[in-house]
Structure formats: structure tokens, C-alpha cells
Amino acid sequence: MLSLVLVAVAVAGGLALHHSSEGADGSEATTATTPDIDLAARAAAVDKVLKKRAQAVLTDNQKDFLADVDPDNKNLVARQRTLFTNLRQFGFAKLTYQQLSQQFDDAITQKYGPSTYLVAIAMTYQIRGIDTVPVRAMLGYTFTERPTGDWMLVSDTDLDKRLPRGSHQEAWDTGEVLVKRAPRVLVVVEKGQDRLATKLVGMASSAVKAVSKSWPGGWNGSGVVIGLDDKVVRGADYTQPKNAEDAIAMATWVYRTLPGEVTGEGQRADSYVVINPRNRDKVDARTLAHEFTHVATAPYGPYAPRWLVEGAATYVEFLPMDGAQPLAIGKYRQDVRTKYLAKAKSLPADATFFQQSDSSYPLSWLALDYLFTRFGGTEVGTLYREMAALGTTQADRDRIMLEHVGMTEAGLFQALKAAAAA
């Protein structure tokens, strides 16, 4: 029997499903079921538990949510009670839990008994007024059979180390949170941080308005801002030295279908912005406008070159917006040409973009400033869409660039040099 092993893929914030015939310890997996377990009955019983829990969140019924949680596991009960309180604040229009695949672990089976059922779960949800379509996240549950034939949740963490990056690390999976809303904005902070929540809502509202106005073709999506004390939330990991020191915030992908379900990369629906707790005091409306530009472009696809992705976000970030002081763009343009363009030999490369971020971001902005000025927003927006959807190889990128702006990436770099010399 093939067990479904969950592994991370090499994309930021990515999740993927892969089949494997190996167990968790690398040995050949064996069938963990026994003749005493009616698999169809088990699936139906666990589905009943999952459906009850989802419905309990939607109808504000904590008793039902906790009804099938092991009452002897006080820590689990406490975590699940906090989870319920957190989930209720998000205002889900839709919520379901779906069994994906059984996992096998002898140590866990020995801990909970022969009926142990360790299973990966897909959580499909839609936050009212925020998510334009239902989206999916992943977690893992451990169930055991009661003498009555019902199934009981005995752990929600046993599978965490085997889940892909970002799984079971949603904002509602942390400690107690506070959720504050405004039109097209949802902010999550630690419980009790009302002042921070109000501040972030104000900045996020300005940023949403700016991106909606400035991005070619407009944007009618929403901005989710997670400003928790936790250093690991969703796909953001601020325990990594480079992220911890330099990053202010990052957009983390939200999926309509998880990577590996329909396509290898998954189908992106949106992004949620996670703020670095170390640099929280540096966040402003422009920072969020940058990240919300990533949110607006997330559905296009994963293949746009990094200079285009970050250049577009920085271009919008620097435009005039409510609640932000105007910037001296003419002086900045000249500074970039003198300080960075004069020393560069090409547009920033994907592989080294973040290692050379001091120059990569300004040069990428300069490229987009040139494209918007010369070709206009409609053409740049179309270029971005096609590069993100189809730019899988350098040949594809060059073809798309030639079609829309009459030059390759190398040609664009030479055009920047010529404009600086004029």
C-alpha cells in the first residue's frame, strides 16, 4: 500500500503532496490497518466529526466543537478551545474539513493504541468579505476509536513535523488573537493589542485604496495583515537570520488548490501579509502597498522574473497615496542610476536577487519606472500577467518581452543605460 507522504517543495510558502512507498523513518511502509477496523465506517465516522466541527464554528457552538476532543488531554482541550475562539473572529462564510490521506507512525500507534488513525486534513475556507473564492490549508489530526464506535480527536500536532512548510501555522493556530476589520481589510494581532490593530487597519485601508487605484486594470481584492508576536506564521519564517534582520513584511501565498493536487505549483488565489515582529515599528502604508501589490498579482502565476515582481510592487509603493508623504522620485531615479545602474551588468537575476537586495530593489524599480513611463500601465499589466503565467524559461520570457515591449530583458537593461546617459 502506498502511503501519502507530505513534503515541502522549493517555492516560497509552498505545499505539495507526493506519493511514496516509504515510511516516515525511510523504511518500506506497511499496511497499518487491522481486520478490526472497518475502513469505510471509520471514514464515515471521522467525516461526521469533521463536519460537526466545521458547522460548530459557523454556528458558534463551542460544545459541539469540543465534543469529540479527548477530555483527558487537558492541553489539547485548552488549545482547541482557543482555536474555536480564534476561528469565530474571522467570520467564515464557508468552512469544511476533508480527509486527505492516512499517515503511519509506529510510535504514535503505540502511544494511543491499535485503532490510531493519523490523517492529513485539508481545511477549505472562505473569509466573508476577504477571500473571493474558497481557499485551502493543511493540518493533521490523530484519532482513536471509542468503545462506542465513535472516533475521538487525541492530538492535533503529531503530524506537524511531516506537513509541508506553512501547514498548521495559520494565524488562528497561534495563541489568543484579536481580529479587527474594515472594508476590504482584516488585521490579526495578539489579544489585547487593540491600539496596534487600529493602527494597522488605518495603514492597510490606505494601502488597499492605493493599489486599487494604481495597479493596471484595478484591483478589487482585500488586504489581510497578520501582526503577531510569533516568528513563524504561514510561509513566513522570521527565525531565519536574513529574514529576521532585513524583512519588514512578506506576502504568503493562499491556495485555491494545494500544490500537488491539480498542478505542481498549486493554484494561487491570494496572499496574506505577515509582518516581521522584530521590525513591526517600521511598517507604514507604503510597506503594505508594496505587499498588497503582491497580493493583487498572486493569482497570475509563479513564473514572472523577480525583477518584475519586486519592481512592480516597489513602483506602486512609491506612488502618491493617502496617509503617506510624497517622495522625491526624480532625485531617487538619478540616485539609482548613479549608485547602482552604473555598476550593474544586467537586470537583477532571480538566483541572487535577495542576496544582493540593496541593489536589486532599486534597479527593479528603475526598470518598472521606465516601462510604465514609456509603455503605459495597460501594457505593463498585460506583460506581467503573461510573464507570470507563461515565463517558465528564458526563451519564453524573451518572447513575451519582445511581443509586448519590443525588447528582451537584456534589451531593457541597455535601454535603462541609454536613458541614463541621455
Side-chain angles (χ1 to χ4, degrees):
M1 174 182 291
L2 294 180
S3 64
L4 193 61
V5 177
L6 306 156
V7 300
V9 293
V11 293
L15 313 175
L17 303 175
H18 294 279
H19 287 284
S20 172
S21 60
E22 292 184 349
D25 60 356
S27 61
E28 189 73 14
T30 59
T31 301
T33 58
T34 72
D36 299 325
I37 302 296
D38 183 328
L39 300 185
R42 181 183 68 186
V46 170
D47 278 342
K48 181 179 178 181
V49 172
L50 296 175
K51 184 176 181 180
K52 181 197 293 187
R53 286 168 60 81
Q55 191 64 23
V57 173
L58 296 175
T59 59
D60 194 16
N61 189 332
Q62 185 183 87
K63 181 179 177 181
D64 274 3
F65 189 80
L66 299 176
D68 299 294
V69 178
D70 180 5
D72 295 328
N73 188 334
K74 303 304 181 185
N75 288 334
L76 176 62
V77 172
R79 285 201 308 274
Q80 289 290 308
R81 185 176 288 112
T82 297
L83 173 62
F84 176 82
T85 302
N86 287 349
L87 290 171
R88 280 294 303 164
Q89 294 186 69
F90 281 82
F92 293 106
K94 297 179 181 178
L95 176 64
T96 61
Y97 295 98
Q98 172 193 358
Q99 299 177 66
L100 293 179
S101 60
Q102 183 175 6
Q103 304 294 297
F104 302 105
D105 190 308
D106 287 340
I108 295 173
T109 300
Q110 290 174 15
K111 179 178 180 180
Y112 296 112
S115 69
T116 298
Y117 179 45
L118 182 64
V119 61
I121 301 290
M123 174 184 178
T124 302
Y125 66 90
Q126 186 172 12
I127 302 173
R128 185 176 289 104
I130 298 297
D131 299 311
T132 56
V133 297
V135 294
R136 285 163 76 80
M138 197 181 298
L139 59 151
Y141 283 159
T142 306
F143 293 95
T144 61
E145 188 177 19
R146 288 169 161 157
T148 58
D150 297 328
W151 287 77
M152 176 174 63
L153 178 66
V154 295
S155 176
D156 60 353
T157 59
D158 288 332
L159 193 54
D160 281 0
K161 291 183 179 179
R162 279 193 262 168
L163 291 173
R165 177 183 172 188
S167 302
H168 204 205
Q169 294 172 348
E170 300 291 340
W172 48 76
D173 292 320
T174 64
E176 295 178 302
V177 302
L178 168 66
V179 177
K180 192 174 182 64
R181 285 174 169 265
R184 297 176 61 192
V185 167
L186 184 146
V187 167
V188 190
V189 297
E190 303 289 339
K191 182 180 179 180
Q193 293 186 346
D194 300 69
R195 183 176 298 179
L196 173 62
T198 300
K199 178 182 176 182
L200 290 175
V201 165
M203 292 189 295
S205 296
S206 294
V208 164
K209 181 180 178 181
V211 177
S212 299
K213 176 183 177 182
S214 301
W215 186 247
W219 173 57
N220 61 1
S222 299
V224 175
V225 180
I226 301 171
L228 297 170
D229 293 341
D230 299 75
K231 294 182 176 63
V232 180
V233 183
R234 312 199 79 252
D237 184 353
Y238 293 119
T239 65
Q240 299 296 319
K242 187 72 173 175
N243 287 344
E245 295 170 7
D246 298 337
I248 298 176
M250 63 177 67
T252 59
W253 299 338
V254 183
Y255 293 97
R256 286 193 296 121
T257 63
L258 296 170
E261 286 188 309
V262 177
T263 66
E265 300 80 17
Q267 296 172 307
R268 300 183 201 173
D270 218 327
S271 292
Y272 297 163
V273 175
V274 181
I275 296 174
N276 182 353
R278 179 173 176 173
N279 293 327
R280 189 180 292 154
D281 60 343
K282 299 178 182 178
V283 174
D284 58 15
R286 292 193 181 280
T287 303
L288 296 182
H290 180 110
E291 299 304 330
F292 290 165
T293 304
H294 291 319
V295 176
T297 56
Y300 299 168
Y303 301 120
R306 186 56 57 184
W307 65 264
L308 180 56
V309 172
E310 296 300 339
T314 307
Y315 179 83
V316 173
E317 174 187 357
F318 287 179
L319 293 175
M321 69 178 66
D322 292 344
Q325 291 294 321
L327 301 177
I329 294 299
K331 182 179 184 306
Y332 181 71
R333 183 184 297 113
Q334 188 56 45
D335 287 346
V336 174
R337 287 171 170 173
T338 302
K339 187 173 181 180
Y340 300 111
L341 181 63
K343 301 175 184 177
K345 298 186 181 337
S346 67
L347 293 173
D350 289 356
T352 58
F353 190 97
F354 294 113
Q355 287 78 15
Q356 301 170 4
S357 59
D358 287 351
S359 60
S360 295
Y361 279 93
L363 286 171
S364 297
W365 171 84
L366 188 66
L368 268 294
D369 176 61
Y370 177 88
L371 291 173
F372 269 96
T373 301
R374 180 171 174 184
F375 299 100
T378 299
E379 196 65 61
V380 174
T382 303
L383 172 68
Y384 194 124
R385 285 174 172 84
E386 291 200 19
M387 291 282 264
L390 304 172
T392 55
T393 67
Q394 188 59 55
D396 289 327
R397 291 179 176 183
D398 287 345
R399 173 183 56 77
I400 295 167
M401 289 280 292
L402 285 168
E403 178 182 346
H404 289 283
V405 296
M407 64 186 87
T408 63
E409 290 178 281
L412 173 57
F413 179 75
Q414 292 305 317
L416 296 180
K417 286 278 195 178

